[in-house]
Amino acid sequence: MFDVYRNGKRDLLVLNTGSGVPVLYSAHKWRKSRKRVLKVSDEIKSAVRAQGYYVRSLRRAKERMIEVE
């Protein structure tokens, strides 16, 4: 299982359940999602295994959607 956190800048942080926020990102104010995440994409799984975390900005995805239209 995975813990999902969001911050005020609409960034997404995914960690293994029970892991602490990495020092690199500890300065940001992260809010833990109330929903439990059981399944994530292969890209996220491999990043969590390799680095211990996965970070993505949700703003970029929205900008790409606007450009496509």
Side-chain angles (χ1 to χ4, degrees):
M1 286 211 256
F2 299 91
D3 291 333
V4 177
Y5 294 85
R6 288 183 29 202
N7 68 6
K9 297 180 181 181
R10 293 185 46 90
D11 293 333
L12 182 73
L13 174 66
V14 181
L15 303 168
N16 280 325
T17 301
S19 298
V21 176
V23 175
L24 181 62
Y25 297 101
S26 62
H28 303 287
K29 292 186 178 182
W30 295 98
R31 288 175 282 141
K32 187 174 181 181
S33 173
R34 293 181 186 184
K35 296 179 182 178
R36 290 174 42 186
V37 178
L38 301 174
K39 189 174 180 180
V40 296
S41 70
D42 292 334
E43 175 189 354
I44 294 173
K45 272 186 205 174
S46 62
V48 170
R49 269 193 227 120
Q51 299 174 207
Y53 62 91
Y54 173 83
V55 177
R56 183 179 77 197
S57 176
L58 297 176
R59 287 177 283 166
R60 286 189 216 142
K62 186 176 179 182
E63 290 170 2
R64 274 190 251 132
M65 287 174 53
I66 293 170
E67 290 173 9
V68 171
E69 294 177 333

